[in-house]
Amino acid sequence: MFLRYFFKGKVKWFHAALIGFGVSLFFEITQRTALFGFFECPYRIFDVDDLMTNTVGTVLGFILAPMFLVLIPSRETLSEQSHFFHNQRKATFG
């Protein structure tokens, strides 16, 4: 969702895919080497399927985010509402 903000103006799904791949690769490498050989953990494996699914998920999230952003008001709308309600009379006790 935040990636669309940084790449506003042009469709940069490829950059989002590279960032998703890089972050996923970082976590896979960290998952494999996090214990630095102190303990035997056979469940900590480097899985290429995780890299692929995380990268595809990043691209899908980048493409589908505008559908959900329609439900979130813009900063201008929030600023107008804040200004409108700020000028209203305050509720008093009693």
Side-chain angles (χ1 to χ4, degrees):
M1 194 165 172
F2 295 109
L3 291 175
R4 184 159 301 275
Y5 173 76
F6 290 118
F7 303 129
K8 189 163 57 170
K10 295 181 182 177
V11 177
K12 301 276 186 166
W13 66 269
F14 186 71
H15 293 283
L18 285 177
I19 291 172
F21 178 78
V23 170
S24 179
L25 182 65
F26 169 75
F27 282 115
E28 287 295 320
I29 290 173
T30 304
Q31 179 178 341
R32 181 69 179 146
T33 62
L35 298 176
F36 302 110
F38 290 120
F39 302 106
E40 293 288 331
C41 292
Y43 60 88
R44 290 185 167 266
I45 59 173
F46 185 97
D47 196 7
V48 178
D49 292 342
D50 289 344
L51 283 174
M52 292 187 303
T53 55
N54 291 340
T55 304
V56 169
T58 302
V59 172
L60 285 175
F62 184 80
I63 292 170
L64 297 176
M67 286 188 245
F68 296 103
L69 289 176
V70 171
L71 303 174
I72 300 173
S74 66
R75 287 184 186 262
E76 292 81 21
T77 305
L78 292 175
S79 177
E80 289 172 7
Q81 289 177 353
S82 174
H83 183 67
F84 174 75
F85 288 116
H86 183 69
N87 291 336
Q88 299 292 317
R89 288 186 57 191
K90 304 283 188 221
T92 59
F93 181 73

